[in-house]
mmCIF file of all heavy atoms in Angstrom:
data_model
loop_
_atom_site.group_PDB
_atom_site.id
_atom_site.type_symbol
_atom_site.label_atom_id
_atom_site.label_comp_id
_atom_site.label_asym_id
_atom_site.label_seq_id
_atom_site.Cartn_x
_atom_site.Cartn_y
_atom_site.Cartn_z
ATOM 1 N N SER A 255 -1.104 44.851 -12.236
ATOM 2 C CA SER A 255 -0.044 44.155 -11.671
ATOM 3 C C SER A 255 -0.163 42.573 -11.982
ATOM 4 O O SER A 255 0.901 41.999 -12.330
ATOM 5 C CB SER A 255 -0.008 44.264 -10.124
ATOM 6 O OG SER A 255 1.034 43.480 -9.537
ATOM 7 N N ASP A 256 -1.339 42.098 -11.952
ATOM 8 C CA ASP A 256 -1.551 40.676 -12.340
ATOM 9 C C ASP A 256 -1.176 40.475 -13.826
ATOM 10 O O ASP A 256 -0.538 39.519 -14.181
ATOM 11 C CB ASP A 256 -3.029 40.282 -12.124
ATOM 12 C CG ASP A 256 -3.411 40.179 -10.694
ATOM 13 O OD1 ASP A 256 -2.495 40.153 -9.810
ATOM 14 O OD2 ASP A 256 -4.612 40.161 -10.403
ATOM 15 N N TRP A 257 -1.578 41.474 -14.642
ATOM 16 C CA TRP A 257 -1.203 41.330 -16.148
ATOM 17 C C TRP A 257 0.321 41.369 -16.222
ATOM 18 O O TRP A 257 0.874 40.514 -16.956
ATOM 19 C CB TRP A 257 -1.805 42.478 -16.912
ATOM 20 C CG TRP A 257 -1.268 42.476 -18.300
ATOM 21 C CD1 TRP A 257 -1.705 41.752 -19.363
ATOM 22 C CD2 TRP A 257 -0.104 43.185 -18.787
ATOM 23 N NE1 TRP A 257 -0.928 41.969 -20.395
ATOM 24 C CE2 TRP A 257 0.118 42.842 -20.061
ATOM 25 C CE3 TRP A 257 0.818 44.025 -18.119
ATOM 26 C CZ2 TRP A 257 1.176 43.289 -20.887
ATOM 27 C CZ3 TRP A 257 1.858 44.525 -18.895
ATOM 28 C CH2 TRP A 257 2.022 44.169 -20.219
ATOM 29 N N ALA A 258 0.988 42.255 -15.540
ATOM 30 C CA ALA A 258 2.439 42.432 -15.666
ATOM 31 C C ALA A 258 3.191 41.184 -15.268
ATOM 32 O O ALA A 258 4.099 40.732 -15.950
ATOM 33 C CB ALA A 258 2.912 43.620 -14.938
ATOM 34 N N VAL A 259 2.719 40.556 -14.168
ATOM 35 C CA VAL A 259 3.388 39.339 -13.687
ATOM 36 C C VAL A 259 3.230 38.234 -14.740
ATOM 37 O O VAL A 259 4.231 37.557 -15.031
ATOM 38 C CB VAL A 259 2.737 38.936 -12.293
ATOM 39 C CG1 VAL A 259 3.171 37.504 -11.911
ATOM 40 C CG2 VAL A 259 3.211 39.901 -11.233
ATOM 41 N N GLU A 260 2.077 38.070 -15.315
ATOM 42 C CA GLU A 260 1.880 37.089 -16.332
ATOM 43 C C GLU A 260 2.725 37.357 -17.604
ATOM 44 O O GLU A 260 3.323 36.505 -18.269
ATOM 45 C CB GLU A 260 0.380 36.909 -16.677
ATOM 46 C CG GLU A 260 -0.470 36.385 -15.584
ATOM 47 C CD GLU A 260 -0.079 34.981 -15.198
ATOM 48 O OE1 GLU A 260 0.303 34.144 -16.115
ATOM 49 O OE2 GLU A 260 -0.161 34.659 -14.022
ATOM 50 N N ALA A 261 2.739 38.663 -17.986
ATOM 51 C CA ALA A 261 3.474 39.034 -19.200
ATOM 52 C C ALA A 261 4.960 38.882 -19.006
ATOM 53 O O ALA A 261 5.704 38.442 -19.879
ATOM 54 C CB ALA A 261 3.143 40.484 -19.577
ATOM 55 N N LEU A 262 5.477 39.207 -17.816
ATOM 56 C CA LEU A 262 6.860 39.007 -17.477
ATOM 57 C C LEU A 262 7.262 37.541 -17.540
ATOM 58 O O LEU A 262 8.257 37.116 -18.037
ATOM 59 C CB LEU A 262 7.253 39.674 -16.134
ATOM 60 C CG LEU A 262 7.239 41.147 -16.095
ATOM 61 C CD1 LEU A 262 7.183 41.611 -14.633
ATOM 62 C CD2 LEU A 262 8.511 41.700 -16.800
ATOM 63 N N CYS A 263 6.345 36.720 -16.959
ATOM 64 C CA CYS A 263 6.654 35.227 -16.987
ATOM 65 C C CYS A 263 6.668 34.702 -18.415
ATOM 66 O O CYS A 263 7.563 33.958 -18.794
ATOM 67 C CB CYS A 263 5.488 34.521 -16.135
ATOM 68 S SG CYS A 263 5.759 32.761 -16.016
ATOM 69 N N ALA A 264 5.763 35.149 -19.224
ATOM 70 C CA ALA A 264 5.704 34.730 -20.616
ATOM 71 C C ALA A 264 6.918 35.210 -21.396
ATOM 72 O O ALA A 264 7.403 34.505 -22.306
ATOM 73 C CB ALA A 264 4.425 35.297 -21.330
ATOM 74 N N ALA A 265 7.505 36.368 -20.986
ATOM 75 C CA ALA A 265 8.716 36.845 -21.634
ATOM 76 C C ALA A 265 10.024 36.266 -20.980
ATOM 77 O O ALA A 265 11.116 36.689 -21.370
ATOM 78 C CB ALA A 265 8.720 38.374 -21.498
ATOM 79 N N LEU A 266 9.793 35.289 -20.116
ATOM 80 C CA LEU A 266 10.906 34.619 -19.415
ATOM 81 C C LEU A 266 11.802 35.574 -18.617
ATOM 82 O O LEU A 266 12.985 35.507 -18.566
ATOM 83 C CB LEU A 266 11.745 33.860 -20.410
ATOM 84 C CG LEU A 266 11.033 32.758 -21.216
ATOM 85 C CD1 LEU A 266 11.950 32.178 -22.245
ATOM 86 C CD2 LEU A 266 10.344 31.734 -20.318
ATOM 87 N N ARG A 267 11.116 36.582 -17.940
ATOM 88 C CA ARG A 267 11.745 37.542 -17.172
ATOM 89 C C ARG A 267 11.265 37.272 -15.708
ATOM 90 O O ARG A 267 10.213 36.640 -15.472
ATOM 91 C CB ARG A 267 11.408 38.898 -17.524
ATOM 92 C CG ARG A 267 11.973 39.317 -18.913
ATOM 93 C CD ARG A 267 11.601 40.712 -19.251
ATOM 94 N NE ARG A 267 12.221 41.161 -20.479
ATOM 95 C CZ ARG A 267 13.330 41.983 -20.417
ATOM 96 N NH1 ARG A 267 13.790 42.357 -19.311
ATOM 97 N NH2 ARG A 267 13.902 42.366 -21.546
ATOM 98 N N PRO A 268 11.936 37.799 -14.672
ATOM 99 C CA PRO A 268 11.522 37.672 -13.284
ATOM 100 C C PRO A 268 10.090 38.205 -13.222
ATOM 101 O O PRO A 268 9.779 39.324 -13.616
ATOM 102 C CB PRO A 268 12.460 38.494 -12.473
ATOM 103 C CG PRO A 268 13.726 38.446 -13.274
ATOM 104 C CD PRO A 268 13.280 38.513 -14.739
ATOM 105 N N ALA A 269 9.145 37.354 -12.693
ATOM 106 C CA ALA A 269 7.716 37.630 -12.678
ATOM 107 C C ALA A 269 7.307 38.382 -11.448
ATOM 108 O O ALA A 269 6.545 37.944 -10.656
ATOM 109 C CB ALA A 269 6.892 36.372 -12.926
ATOM 110 N N VAL A 270 7.858 39.573 -11.268
ATOM 111 C CA VAL A 270 7.563 40.393 -10.088
ATOM 112 C C VAL A 270 7.381 41.854 -10.574
ATOM 113 O O VAL A 270 8.312 42.468 -11.010
ATOM 114 C CB VAL A 270 8.676 40.319 -9.055
ATOM 115 C CG1 VAL A 270 8.393 41.216 -7.849
ATOM 116 C CG2 VAL A 270 8.964 38.930 -8.626
ATOM 117 N N TRP A 271 6.132 42.403 -10.418
ATOM 118 C CA TRP A 271 5.889 43.803 -10.773
ATOM 119 C C TRP A 271 4.677 44.272 -9.963
ATOM 120 O O TRP A 271 3.706 43.634 -9.959
ATOM 121 C CB TRP A 271 5.654 44.060 -12.232
ATOM 122 C CG TRP A 271 5.641 45.538 -12.447
ATOM 123 C CD1 TRP A 271 6.694 46.344 -12.710
ATOM 124 C CD2 TRP A 271 4.459 46.389 -12.429
ATOM 125 N NE1 TRP A 271 6.241 47.712 -12.812
ATOM 126 C CE2 TRP A 271 4.885 47.687 -12.654
ATOM 127 C CE3 TRP A 271 3.076 46.159 -12.226
ATOM 128 C CZ2 TRP A 271 3.966 48.761 -12.626
ATOM 129 C CZ3 TRP A 271 2.230 47.253 -12.220
ATOM 130 C CH2 TRP A 271 2.705 48.556 -12.487
ATOM 131 N N PRO A 272 4.785 45.453 -9.382
ATOM 132 C CA PRO A 272 6.024 46.217 -9.217
ATOM 133 C C PRO A 272 6.864 45.553 -8.119
ATOM 134 O O PRO A 272 6.369 45.082 -7.122
ATOM 135 C CB PRO A 272 5.520 47.598 -8.767
ATOM 136 C CG PRO A 272 4.152 47.421 -8.163
ATOM 137 C CD PRO A 272 3.618 46.175 -8.861
ATOM 138 N N GLU A 273 8.118 45.565 -8.297
ATOM 139 C CA GLU A 273 9.022 44.893 -7.399
ATOM 140 C C GLU A 273 9.218 45.622 -6.136
ATOM 141 O O GLU A 273 9.349 46.843 -6.050
ATOM 142 C CB GLU A 273 10.413 44.777 -8.060
ATOM 143 C CG GLU A 273 11.368 43.919 -7.206
ATOM 144 C CD GLU A 273 12.671 43.629 -7.975
ATOM 145 O OE1 GLU A 273 13.092 44.489 -8.806
ATOM 146 O OE2 GLU A 273 13.255 42.620 -7.685
ATOM 147 N N CYS A 274 9.179 44.918 -5.002
ATOM 148 C CA CYS A 274 9.338 45.422 -3.660
ATOM 149 C C CYS A 274 10.795 45.772 -3.504
ATOM 150 O O CYS A 274 11.631 44.856 -3.522
ATOM 151 C CB CYS A 274 8.822 44.537 -2.588
ATOM 152 S SG CYS A 274 9.074 45.073 -0.902
ATOM 153 N N PRO A 275 11.160 47.061 -3.218
ATOM 154 C CA PRO A 275 12.564 47.383 -3.103
ATOM 155 C C PRO A 275 13.221 46.751 -1.812
ATOM 156 O O PRO A 275 14.438 46.600 -1.769
ATOM 157 C CB PRO A 275 12.606 48.900 -3.040
ATOM 158 C CG PRO A 275 11.235 49.302 -2.642
ATOM 159 C CD PRO A 275 10.324 48.212 -3.183
ATOM 160 N N ALA A 276 12.386 46.466 -0.771
ATOM 161 C CA ALA A 276 12.896 45.893 0.431
ATOM 162 C C ALA A 276 13.165 44.426 0.302
ATOM 163 O O ALA A 276 13.896 43.797 1.090
ATOM 164 C CB ALA A 276 12.009 46.160 1.617
ATOM 165 N N HIS A 277 12.488 43.788 -0.648
ATOM 166 C CA HIS A 277 12.553 42.329 -0.869
ATOM 167 C C HIS A 277 12.709 41.979 -2.351
ATOM 168 O O HIS A 277 11.777 41.403 -2.921
ATOM 169 C CB HIS A 277 11.358 41.602 -0.215
ATOM 170 C CG HIS A 277 11.094 42.040 1.164
ATOM 171 N ND1 HIS A 277 10.082 42.892 1.500
ATOM 172 C CD2 HIS A 277 11.724 41.663 2.301
ATOM 173 C CE1 HIS A 277 10.105 43.077 2.841
ATOM 174 N NE2 HIS A 277 11.093 42.321 3.328
ATOM 175 N N PRO A 278 13.797 42.331 -2.966
ATOM 176 C CA PRO A 278 13.986 42.122 -4.422
ATOM 177 C C PRO A 278 13.773 40.662 -4.804
ATOM 178 O O PRO A 278 14.115 39.754 -4.114
ATOM 179 C CB PRO A 278 15.399 42.560 -4.671
ATOM 180 C CG PRO A 278 15.797 43.411 -3.522
ATOM 181 C CD PRO A 278 14.995 42.912 -2.345
ATOM 182 N N ASP A 279 13.183 40.499 -6.015
ATOM 183 C CA ASP A 279 12.906 39.160 -6.571
ATOM 184 C C ASP A 279 12.079 38.263 -5.676
ATOM 185 O O ASP A 279 12.164 37.058 -5.781
ATOM 186 C CB ASP A 279 14.222 38.453 -6.939
ATOM 187 C CG ASP A 279 14.999 39.213 -8.038
ATOM 188 O OD1 ASP A 279 14.330 39.712 -8.944
ATOM 189 O OD2 ASP A 279 16.237 39.193 -7.935
ATOM 190 N N SER A 280 11.318 38.858 -4.774
ATOM 191 C CA SER A 280 10.498 38.090 -3.826
ATOM 192 C C SER A 280 9.002 38.197 -4.105
ATOM 193 O O SER A 280 8.387 37.181 -4.230
ATOM 194 C CB SER A 280 10.840 38.622 -2.398
ATOM 195 O OG SER A 280 10.085 37.926 -1.453
ATOM 196 N N HIS A 281 8.537 39.420 -4.143
ATOM 197 C CA HIS A 281 7.086 39.608 -4.274
ATOM 198 C C HIS A 281 6.853 40.995 -4.840
ATOM 199 O O HIS A 281 7.580 41.885 -4.616
ATOM 200 C CB HIS A 281 6.313 39.445 -2.896
ATOM 201 C CG HIS A 281 6.809 40.342 -1.837
ATOM 202 N ND1 HIS A 281 7.708 39.951 -0.947
ATOM 203 C CD2 HIS A 281 6.593 41.714 -1.668
ATOM 204 C CE1 HIS A 281 7.943 41.009 -0.098
ATOM 205 N NE2 HIS A 281 7.291 42.051 -0.549
ATOM 206 N N PRO A 282 5.653 41.127 -5.477
ATOM 207 C CA PRO A 282 5.290 42.462 -5.901
ATOM 208 C C PRO A 282 4.700 43.270 -4.839
ATOM 209 O O PRO A 282 4.218 42.756 -3.813
ATOM 210 C CB PRO A 282 4.198 42.154 -7.012
ATOM 211 C CG PRO A 282 3.690 40.787 -6.703
ATOM 212 C CD PRO A 282 4.781 40.095 -5.977
ATOM 213 N N LEU A 283 4.741 44.615 -5.039
ATOM 214 C CA LEU A 283 4.046 45.501 -4.126
ATOM 215 C C LEU A 283 2.573 45.325 -4.333
ATOM 216 O O LEU A 283 2.102 44.836 -5.357
ATOM 217 C CB LEU A 283 4.433 46.968 -4.421
ATOM 218 C CG LEU A 283 5.923 47.311 -4.297
ATOM 219 C CD1 LEU A 283 6.203 48.678 -4.816
ATOM 220 C CD2 LEU A 283 6.272 47.226 -2.769
ATOM 221 N N GLU A 284 1.773 45.738 -3.351
ATOM 222 C CA GLU A 284 0.315 45.684 -3.464
ATOM 223 C C GLU A 284 -0.232 47.122 -3.374
ATOM 224 O O GLU A 284 0.283 47.952 -2.686
ATOM 225 C CB GLU A 284 -0.286 44.921 -2.253
ATOM 226 C CG GLU A 284 0.003 43.457 -2.244
ATOM 227 C CD GLU A 284 -0.579 42.766 -1.075
ATOM 228 O OE1 GLU A 284 -1.017 43.410 -0.095
ATOM 229 O OE2 GLU A 284 -0.599 41.512 -1.106
ATOM 230 N N ALA A 285 -1.288 47.331 -4.224
ATOM 231 C CA ALA A 285 -1.935 48.598 -4.192
ATOM 232 C C ALA A 285 -3.017 48.614 -3.162
ATOM 233 O O ALA A 285 -3.757 47.663 -3.039
ATOM 234 C CB ALA A 285 -2.526 48.950 -5.580
ATOM 235 N N GLY A 286 -3.134 49.686 -2.411
ATOM 236 C CA GLY A 286 -4.119 49.844 -1.397
ATOM 237 C C GLY A 286 -4.346 51.302 -0.984
ATOM 238 O O GLY A 286 -3.453 52.142 -1.177
ATOM 239 N N VAL A 287 -5.522 51.561 -0.469
ATOM 240 C CA VAL A 287 -5.902 52.947 0.013
ATOM 241 C C VAL A 287 -5.431 53.118 1.395
ATOM 242 O O VAL A 287 -5.706 52.288 2.246
ATOM 243 C CB VAL A 287 -7.452 53.096 -0.160
ATOM 244 C CG1 VAL A 287 -7.770 54.533 0.248
ATOM 245 C CG2 VAL A 287 -7.886 52.826 -1.571
ATOM 246 N N ARG A 288 -4.708 54.220 1.602
ATOM 247 C CA ARG A 288 -4.261 54.629 2.892
ATOM 248 C C ARG A 288 -4.347 56.131 3.037
ATOM 249 O O ARG A 288 -3.794 56.835 2.207
ATOM 250 C CB ARG A 288 -2.757 54.203 3.099
ATOM 251 C CG ARG A 288 -2.254 54.457 4.475
ATOM 252 C CD ARG A 288 -0.825 54.103 4.608
ATOM 253 N NE ARG A 288 -0.724 52.652 4.520
ATOM 254 C CZ ARG A 288 0.254 51.986 5.112
ATOM 255 N NH1 ARG A 288 1.205 52.592 5.853
ATOM 256 N NH2 ARG A 288 0.345 50.669 5.107
ATOM 257 N N GLY A 289 -5.117 56.613 3.939
ATOM 258 C CA GLY A 289 -5.269 58.046 4.094
ATOM 259 C C GLY A 289 -5.967 58.748 2.937
ATOM 260 O O GLY A 289 -5.722 59.876 2.639
ATOM 261 N N GLY A 290 -6.810 57.917 2.260
ATOM 262 C CA GLY A 290 -7.530 58.494 1.119
ATOM 263 C C GLY A 290 -6.767 58.516 -0.217
ATOM 264 O O GLY A 290 -7.309 58.983 -1.219
ATOM 265 N N VAL A 291 -5.495 58.018 -0.214
ATOM 266 C CA VAL A 291 -4.745 57.971 -1.450
ATOM 267 C C VAL A 291 -4.282 56.510 -1.651
ATOM 268 O O VAL A 291 -4.319 55.717 -0.716
ATOM 269 C CB VAL A 291 -3.521 58.919 -1.355
ATOM 270 C CG1 VAL A 291 -3.967 60.413 -1.358
ATOM 271 C CG2 VAL A 291 -2.667 58.637 -0.204
ATOM 272 N N VAL A 292 -3.841 56.236 -2.853
ATOM 273 C CA VAL A 292 -3.515 54.854 -3.222
ATOM 274 C C VAL A 292 -1.965 54.707 -3.257
ATOM 275 O O VAL A 292 -1.317 55.416 -4.042
ATOM 276 C CB VAL A 292 -4.139 54.500 -4.548
ATOM 277 C CG1 VAL A 292 -3.881 52.970 -4.839
ATOM 278 C CG2 VAL A 292 -5.655 54.701 -4.507
ATOM 279 N N TRP A 293 -1.520 53.822 -2.459
ATOM 280 C CA TRP A 293 -0.049 53.561 -2.376
ATOM 281 C C TRP A 293 0.232 52.147 -2.921
ATOM 282 O O TRP A 293 -0.544 51.221 -2.765
ATOM 283 C CB TRP A 293 0.338 53.526 -0.877
ATOM 284 C CG TRP A 293 0.381 54.880 -0.276
ATOM 285 C CD1 TRP A 293 -0.633 55.504 0.398
ATOM 286 C CD2 TRP A 293 1.514 55.746 -0.180
ATOM 287 N NE1 TRP A 293 -0.251 56.692 0.886
ATOM 288 C CE2 TRP A 293 1.044 56.871 0.543
ATOM 289 C CE3 TRP A 293 2.758 55.729 -0.667
ATOM 290 C CZ2 TRP A 293 1.916 57.990 0.775
ATOM 291 C CZ3 TRP A 293 3.654 56.764 -0.376
ATOM 292 C CH2 TRP A 293 3.220 57.921 0.290
ATOM 293 N N TRP A 294 1.451 52.011 -3.452
ATOM 294 C CA TRP A 294 2.093 50.672 -3.562
ATOM 295 C C TRP A 294 2.795 50.404 -2.290
ATOM 296 O O TRP A 294 3.568 51.225 -1.844
ATOM 297 C CB TRP A 294 3.040 50.701 -4.718
ATOM 298 C CG TRP A 294 2.478 50.797 -6.134
ATOM 299 C CD1 TRP A 294 2.680 51.835 -6.968
ATOM 300 C CD2 TRP A 294 1.759 49.796 -6.807
ATOM 301 N NE1 TRP A 294 2.020 51.645 -8.174
ATOM 302 C CE2 TRP A 294 1.465 50.359 -8.158
ATOM 303 C CE3 TRP A 294 1.288 48.543 -6.574
ATOM 304 C CZ2 TRP A 294 0.807 49.692 -9.061
ATOM 305 C CZ3 TRP A 294 0.577 47.906 -7.541
ATOM 306 C CH2 TRP A 294 0.324 48.410 -8.758
ATOM 307 N N SER A 295 2.491 49.308 -1.629
ATOM 308 C CA SER A 295 3.101 48.996 -0.352
ATOM 309 C C SER A 295 3.640 47.589 -0.325
ATOM 310 O O SER A 295 3.107 46.677 -1.092
ATOM 311 C CB SER A 295 2.043 49.093 0.768
ATOM 312 O OG SER A 295 1.561 50.407 0.837
ATOM 313 N N CYS A 296 4.555 47.300 0.557
ATOM 314 C CA CYS A 296 5.115 45.911 0.745
ATOM 315 C C CYS A 296 4.028 45.146 1.428
ATOM 316 O O CYS A 296 3.532 45.526 2.451
ATOM 317 C CB CYS A 296 6.374 45.999 1.578
ATOM 318 S SG CYS A 296 6.992 44.365 2.065
ATOM 319 N N PRO A 297 3.687 43.944 0.869
ATOM 320 C CA PRO A 297 2.675 43.135 1.568
ATOM 321 C C PRO A 297 3.156 42.456 2.813
ATOM 322 O O PRO A 297 2.319 42.097 3.647
ATOM 323 C CB PRO A 297 2.373 42.038 0.496
ATOM 324 C CG PRO A 297 3.613 41.982 -0.340
ATOM 325 C CD PRO A 297 4.176 43.363 -0.370
ATOM 326 N N ARG A 298 4.462 42.385 3.051
ATOM 327 C CA ARG A 298 5.009 41.792 4.294
ATOM 328 C C ARG A 298 4.987 42.834 5.411
ATOM 329 O O ARG A 298 4.508 42.514 6.484
ATOM 330 C CB ARG A 298 6.393 41.355 4.058
ATOM 331 C CG ARG A 298 6.494 40.041 3.303
ATOM 332 C CD ARG A 298 7.916 39.566 3.268
ATOM 333 N NE ARG A 298 8.044 38.469 2.269
ATOM 334 C CZ ARG A 298 9.205 38.055 1.853
ATOM 335 N NH1 ARG A 298 10.355 38.578 2.314
ATOM 336 N NH2 ARG A 298 9.293 37.060 0.985
ATOM 337 N N THR A 299 5.498 44.019 5.142
ATOM 338 C CA THR A 299 5.672 44.992 6.186
ATOM 339 C C THR A 299 4.575 46.036 6.215
ATOM 340 O O THR A 299 4.447 46.792 7.160
ATOM 341 C CB THR A 299 6.987 45.755 6.032
ATOM 342 O OG1 THR A 299 6.935 46.539 4.852
ATOM 343 C CG2 THR A 299 8.189 44.773 6.048
ATOM 344 N N ARG A 300 3.771 46.132 5.104
ATOM 345 C CA ARG A 300 2.737 47.151 4.950
ATOM 346 C C ARG A 300 3.337 48.548 4.815
ATOM 347 O O ARG A 300 2.636 49.551 4.853
ATOM 348 C CB ARG A 300 1.666 47.147 6.066
ATOM 349 C CG ARG A 300 0.984 45.819 6.222
ATOM 350 C CD ARG A 300 0.090 45.576 5.006
ATOM 351 N NE ARG A 300 -0.590 44.283 5.132
ATOM 352 C CZ ARG A 300 -0.811 43.489 4.123
ATOM 353 N NH1 ARG A 300 -0.434 43.816 2.910
ATOM 354 N NH2 ARG A 300 -1.397 42.351 4.256
ATOM 355 N N GLN A 301 4.604 48.667 4.666
ATOM 356 C CA GLN A 301 5.308 49.953 4.486
ATOM 357 C C GLN A 301 4.997 50.498 3.099
ATOM 358 O O GLN A 301 5.260 49.824 2.121
ATOM 359 C CB GLN A 301 6.826 49.752 4.671
ATOM 360 C CG GLN A 301 7.603 51.057 4.511
ATOM 361 C CD GLN A 301 7.284 52.048 5.624
ATOM 362 O OE1 GLN A 301 7.035 51.669 6.770
ATOM 363 N NE2 GLN A 301 7.293 53.335 5.279
#
């Protein structure tokens, strides 16, 4: 995700990956372990 954000910025594109569907153009999702599996989740709501 860090690589993608930098690469998007260098390509002059919105620097958000993976994009949070609840907050477009705001922040990327975060990867984290929940229930033994890895989810992309909203960092604001933890959804």
